[in-house]
């Protein structure tokens, strides 16, 4: 989704000024939306609560920034041609900054919770389970993100319908796969939260699985993207031509 120019950005028709306004929206609202999503995961204790906060973020911030909130979703948008390389860099930067801010300011308020994202009692004992959980959930979530991002396969048409659809898929993916560490399938969130958990509390053993929380979503996403372009799209085109 291309970020729009909001009512607070009064610009003329000059494309350079319009692009500057769009980049400003990406920086401000993508950071805010990503922070809201991470806050939802920290504050709520159910997958439904996280999905609901995700929906709110997509509706409130997504219409102004594009609503990717995840470096992998940004990659999917870039591959599909929905966003340029320049804007993709700003998206990833905003998402990474949001993850660091969340780890620095939000995570300490919820560090006592057993449902803290990416926290595991026995981190080094569940490496395989963590990796499989991350890959499985990411395949489910990012497959449907890819389907919803591409214009020719999009399931819903309006922004609100899209927000509902994405939130429901996120709920399903987390409900049935994110059993290890309450993952968000978001490398930026994983890095920021685990980094500052180690800095604040000295429990660097939690960093053992950081590689799993970063690699798992990327592996799952690459499998999802490959499935979409090599199997799903050709099959869809073949059925439509017949």
């Amino acid at each position: 989704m291309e970020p729009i120019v909001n009512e607070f950005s009064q610009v003329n028709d000059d494309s350079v000024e319009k692009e500057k306004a769009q980049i400003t929206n990406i920086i401000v609202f993508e950071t805010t939306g990503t922070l809201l999503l991470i806050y939802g995961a920290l504050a709520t204790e159910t997958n439904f609560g996280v999905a609901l906060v995700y929906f709110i973020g997509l509706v409130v911030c997504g219409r102004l920034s594009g609503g990717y909130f995840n470096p992998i979703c940004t990659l999917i948008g870039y591959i599909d041609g929905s966003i340029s390389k320049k804007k993709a860099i700003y998206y990833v930067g905003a998402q990474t900054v949001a993850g660091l801010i969340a780890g620095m300011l939000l995570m300490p308020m919820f560090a006592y919770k057993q449902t803290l994202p990416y926290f595991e009692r026995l981190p080094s004992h569940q490496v395989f389970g963590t990796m499989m959980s991350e890959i499985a959930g990411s395949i489910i979530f990012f497959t449907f993100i890819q389907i919803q991002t591409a214009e020719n396969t999009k399931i819903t048409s309006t922004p609100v319908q899209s927000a509902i659809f994405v939130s429901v898929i996120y709920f399903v993916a987390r409900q049935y796969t994110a059993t290890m560490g309450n993952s968000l399938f978001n490398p930026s969130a994983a890095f920021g939260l685990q980094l500052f958990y180690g800095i604040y509390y000295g429990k660097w053993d939690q960093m053992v699985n950081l590689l799993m929380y970063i690699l798992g979503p990327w592996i799952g996403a690459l499998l999802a993207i490959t499935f979409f372009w090599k199997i799903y799209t050709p099959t869809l085109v073949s059925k439509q031509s017949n």
Side-chain angles (χ1 to χ4, degrees):
M1 186 194 310
E2 187 73 7
I4 65 173
V5 180
N6 67 29
E7 60 268 30
F8 303 108
S9 302
Q10 299 296 328
V11 298
N12 55 33
D13 292 333
D14 184 82
S15 59
V16 174
E17 292 300 317
K18 183 177 180 180
E19 183 181 46
K20 287 181 179 178
Q22 289 178 335
I23 289 175
T24 299
N25 279 359
I26 290 171
I27 295 171
V28 174
F29 294 103
E30 192 70 12
T31 303
T32 303
T34 306
L35 269 172
L36 181 61
L37 174 60
I38 299 173
Y39 173 80
L42 290 167
T44 64
E45 297 189 4
T46 66
N47 290 324
F48 176 78
V50 178
L52 180 60
V53 174
Y54 193 9
F55 168 77
I56 294 171
L58 288 171
V59 172
V60 176
C61 299
R63 71 184 186 88
L64 298 171
S65 72
Y68 291 95
F69 306 156
N70 188 320
I72 298 175
C73 293
T74 301
L75 174 66
I76 290 174
Y78 172 70
I79 292 174
D80 187 65
S82 301
I83 53 178
S84 65
K85 181 179 179 180
K86 179 180 180 180
K87 289 178 181 175
I89 293 173
Y90 281 102
Y91 273 114
V92 174
Q95 293 150 5
T96 302
V97 168
L100 293 172
I101 293 174
M104 184 186 305
L105 302 179
L106 300 181
M107 183 274 296
M109 295 188 292
F110 304 98
Y112 65 92
K113 298 177 68 172
Q114 295 299 317
T115 56
L116 185 71
Y118 305 111
F119 174 82
E120 297 185 29
R121 288 179 176 275
L122 301 171
S124 61
H125 293 189
Q126 305 179 43
V127 173
F128 180 77
T130 296
M131 177 63 89
M132 292 301 101
S133 172
E134 288 292 294
I135 293 175
S138 297
I139 290 174
I140 295 171
F141 180 58
F142 294 118
T143 294
F144 284 97
I145 288 293
Q146 177 69 80
I147 291 172
Q148 185 64 16
T149 299
E151 285 297 327
N152 61 329
T153 60
K154 187 175 291 187
I155 295 174
T156 63
S157 56
T158 69
V160 173
Q161 289 175 341
S162 179
I164 293 172
F165 176 78
V166 170
S167 301
V168 169
I169 295 302
Y170 195 58
F171 167 79
V172 172
R174 296 188 81 247
Q175 181 74 13
Y176 294 103
T177 65
T179 56
M180 304 288 185
N182 195 20
S183 171
L184 304 179
F185 313 129
N186 189 324
S188 291
F191 177 72
L193 293 178
Q194 288 217 311
L195 174 64
F196 281 95
Y197 192 85
I199 291 173
Y200 288 150
Y201 305 105
K203 296 183 179 180
W204 293 104
D205 59 330
Q206 292 295 320
M207 297 291 285
V208 170
N209 279 348
L210 178 59
L211 189 62
M212 306 299 109
Y213 289 127
I214 291 177
L215 284 180
W218 281 109
I219 293 172
L222 291 176
L223 291 173
I225 293 170
T226 301
F227 166 78
F228 176 82
W229 288 107
K230 298 297 184 181
I231 300 176
Y232 183 84
T233 300
T235 301
L236 187 64
V237 171
S238 176
K239 286 184 178 179
Q240 289 176 344
S241 63
N242 293 332

